[in-house]
Amino acid sequence: MQSIYFGGSRSLSSSPIIGQVVGAVLASGSLAHVGCSAGADALVIGAVRSSSFSQVQVFSAFSATGAGAWSGSAVSVVQSFALAGGSVSWLAGGGLAVPLRVRLIKRSLAGLAGCSSAVFFAPGSGSLAVAGHAVAQGVPVYVFGAPAGSPAGCAGSPAGCAGSWVVSSFFGLPCVKWQAAQLSFF
């Protein structure tokens, strides 16, 4: 059974495609990994039906009480998911002594571990940093809902990666996929 990592912009307030993508992934029997932030993470969690909770793992940078959260955290969404029977890895980025910025990236990398694909919704710089780690590990990266007018539908490239976005599909839904640059030996 494959696991799919989900992430994206903390400023995303709605996106109908999220429900379609999450629904297709879970209907296929795949597992979903997602973070604990407001925006895309919260929308992914909100798209999960209770009958699919066993297929979803939330990776939280804060504790079950909300300690360690910040203004970009979706504390009530994650706590409600846990109270309803969903699985949450609390402090997945390290203990409260670990600086928040480090905890957030480590939380994302914990969520990415073992995943066969990474999907981002309107990614910003933080998401693109995680996408860079995915590309470095050979994990395909897909993007949905990037701002209009951005190159090939995406606002940037995975951090530290040469290549370009190409039109693709994920579970039959149109998106863009990162195509790493091919090195030439001649």
Side-chain angles (χ1 to χ4, degrees):
M1 191 175 327
Q2 67 179 342
S3 297
I4 311 297
Y5 177 81
F6 288 102
S9 173
R10 286 188 302 270
S11 63
L12 195 59
S13 60
S14 69
S15 177
I17 193 70
I18 290 178
Q20 294 173 19
V21 176
V22 171
V25 166
L26 297 178
S28 78
S30 296
L31 304 176
H33 291 189
V34 65
C36 63
S37 294
D41 291 355
L43 292 170
V44 166
I45 295 166
V48 178
R49 298 177 192 267
S50 59
S51 60
S52 299
F53 277 10
S54 65
Q55 292 173 258
V56 179
Q57 179 70 42
V58 174
F59 292 81
S60 178
F62 51 84
S63 74
T65 65
W70 68 293
S71 63
S73 297
V75 176
S76 63
V77 171
V78 175
Q79 288 173 332
S80 294
F81 177 77
L83 288 172
S87 179
V88 178
S89 293
W90 302 106
L91 294 171
L96 295 176
V98 176
L100 176 63
R101 181 177 293 241
V102 174
R103 237 182 313 128
L104 288 171
I105 190 69
K106 284 186 170 191
R107 173 253 6 225
S108 296
L109 296 178
L112 179 63
C115 288
S116 60
S117 299
V119 175
F120 298 93
F121 300 97
S125 60
S127 297
L128 292 171
V130 177
H133 286 279
V135 170
Q137 295 172 23
V139 175
V141 173
Y142 299 87
V143 167
F144 289 88
S150 55
C154 194
S157 61
C161 299
S164 61
W165 294 106
V166 296
V167 175
S168 188
S169 68
F170 185 77
F171 282 82
L173 299 165
C175 62
V176 293
K177 178 182 180 184
W178 183 254
Q179 179 69 49
Q182 299 297 316
L183 298 176
S184 173
F185 294 104
F186 301 99

